[in-house]
């Protein structure tokens, strides 16, 4: 698939998803093509750590999180980042239409050719609803500019859905990259003070390295990330 000269919109639920999913792939695409990239982060990503949502009590952490977003984006090379504040791990507490409206507005502003977003079968409800919002906002009608929708796995979300679930992630597209791209992904993930974890957690540097090598073995490469092409109109 050719990404040269494309406008790529990455729509995710939480800060760090834009790294965990396609971070190395996007780093490689950015450094080897003249594409334009924008990340849309729909949720604030913090307040689910409390029993009840109260953003006022998390102002300091939310401010740190926003600084971490910028550091991570710099490590990958994303051109733009747009941050929203839907409730962390509580997307199902708001109308899906409200999420769709944000996606539609971001689409209108950026006018992408390609959208990367979450796999629809993740165990995380916010990931599921982000996928639904993207699919709804990108109906393949006559004047729809988005010709390609690609979903990714999110470490510590996608792999934890039961194997018996029919929505299990089954990739049909693999993107090869190089060690500098993986290093950038790990550096970006380490920017997230509240999200990084020690091995053997899937969000640890060691695990991200293992995941990249695991998918690479499927296609006879050194490093790769796996995706599902949901729609591609030539």
């Amino acid at each position: 698939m050719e990404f040269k000269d494309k406008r790529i919109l990455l729509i995710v639920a939480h800060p760090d998803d834009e790294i965990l999913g396609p971070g190395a792939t996007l780093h490689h695409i950015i450094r080897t093509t003249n594409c334009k990239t924008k990340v849309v982060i729909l949720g604030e990503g913090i307040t689910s750590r409390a029993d009840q949502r109260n953003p006022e009590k998390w102002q300091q952490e939310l401010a740190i999180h926003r600084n971490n977003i910028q550091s991570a984006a710099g490590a990958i090379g994303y051109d733009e980042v747009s941050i929203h504040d839907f409730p962390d791990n509580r997307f199902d507490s708001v109308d899906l239409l409200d999420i769709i409206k944000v996606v539609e507005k971001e689409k209108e502003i950026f006018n992408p050719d390609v959208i990367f977003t979450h796999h629809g079968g993740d165990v995380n409800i916010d990931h599921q609803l982000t996928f639904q919002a993207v699919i709804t906002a990108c109906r393949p009608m006559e004047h729809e500019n988005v010709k390609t929708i690609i979903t990714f796995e999110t470490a510590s979300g996608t792999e934890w859905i039961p194997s018996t679930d029919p929505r299990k992630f089954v990739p049909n597209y693999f993107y090869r990259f190089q060690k500098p791209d993986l290093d950038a992904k790990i550096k970006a993930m380490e920017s997230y003070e509240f999200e990084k974890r020690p091995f053997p957690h899937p969000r640890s540097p060691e695990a991200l390295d293992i995941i990249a090598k695991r998918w690479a073995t499927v296609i006879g490469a050194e490093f790769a990330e796996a995706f599902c092409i949901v729609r591609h109109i030539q």
Side-chain angles (χ1 to χ4, degrees):
M1 186 175 297
E2 180 59 63
F3 292 104
K4 183 180 179 181
D5 298 324
K6 298 298 185 185
R7 298 181 65 81
I8 300 173
L9 187 61
L10 175 56
I11 302 177
V12 302
H14 313 112
D16 84 349
D17 293 336
E18 80 284 9
I19 308 303
L20 290 171
T25 293
L26 266 295
H27 183 267
H28 186 270
I29 291 172
I30 289 166
R31 73 180 179 87
T32 58
T33 75
N34 58 344
C35 66
K36 183 79 171 176
T37 58
K38 182 177 182 178
V39 177
V40 175
I41 300 175
L42 294 172
E44 33 84 357
I46 285 287
T47 60
S48 66
R49 290 163 169 80
D51 291 337
Q52 294 185 344
R53 186 175 191 249
N54 186 348
E56 293 300 318
K57 291 184 177 180
W58 293 88
Q59 287 304 308
Q60 182 176 352
E61 290 85 355
L62 286 166
I64 293 171
H65 222 25
R66 291 198 171 215
N67 286 334
N68 293 165
I69 290 169
Q70 299 303 327
S71 296
I76 299 300
Y78 294 126
D79 293 303
E80 301 178 53
V81 180
S82 179
I83 306 168
H84 299 272
D85 62 352
F86 285 107
D88 184 41
N89 279 287
R90 293 186 172 96
F91 279 23
D92 53 342
S93 69
V94 301
D95 291 335
L96 178 60
L97 180 60
D98 293 339
I99 305 173
I100 293 168
K101 291 292 186 183
V102 168
V103 173
E104 289 176 336
K105 178 58 68 175
E106 292 286 0
K107 264 184 54 195
E108 180 182 349
I109 293 169
F110 188 70
N111 194 30
D113 307 292
V114 180
I115 290 182
F116 283 82
T117 194
H118 292 282
H119 173 61
D122 280 21
V123 73
N124 188 289
I125 186 63
D126 295 355
H127 297 181
Q128 295 175 26
L129 293 174
T130 297
F131 170 79
Q132 290 184 31
V134 169
I135 292 300
T136 305
C138 298
R139 299 176 184 89
M141 295 187 291
E142 182 181 1
H143 300 295
E144 176 56 58
N145 191 60
V146 176
K147 303 303 181 185
T148 304
I149 299 175
I150 302 172
T151 63
F152 51 79
E153 65 168 354
T154 310
S156 75
T158 312
E159 75 274 36
W160 288 345
I161 199 165
S163 61
T164 53
D165 194 306
R167 300 171 300 167
K168 189 77 175 173
F169 182 66
V170 181
N172 59 14
Y173 177 61
F174 299 86
Y175 194 95
R176 294 177 294 181
F177 49 84
Q178 297 162 336
K179 184 67 160 56
D181 307 305
L182 177 61
D183 290 343
K185 175 174 181 165
I186 291 171
K187 178 182 178 182
M189 189 59 216
E190 288 295 288
S191 299
Y192 279 110
E193 300 174 42
F194 303 120
E195 306 299 339
K196 60 183 179 180
R197 296 288 187 274
F199 188 77
H201 194 280
R203 295 201 296 269
S204 66
E206 297 91 339
L208 295 178
D209 180 82
I210 290 169
I211 293 167
K213 290 175 178 175
R214 177 264 186 273
W215 285 123
T217 66
V218 175
I219 57 169
E222 188 174 5
F223 303 104
E225 286 173 334
F227 301 91
C228 231
I229 297 175
V230 173
R231 179 183 305 144
H232 181 59
I233 302 172
Q234 193 65 36

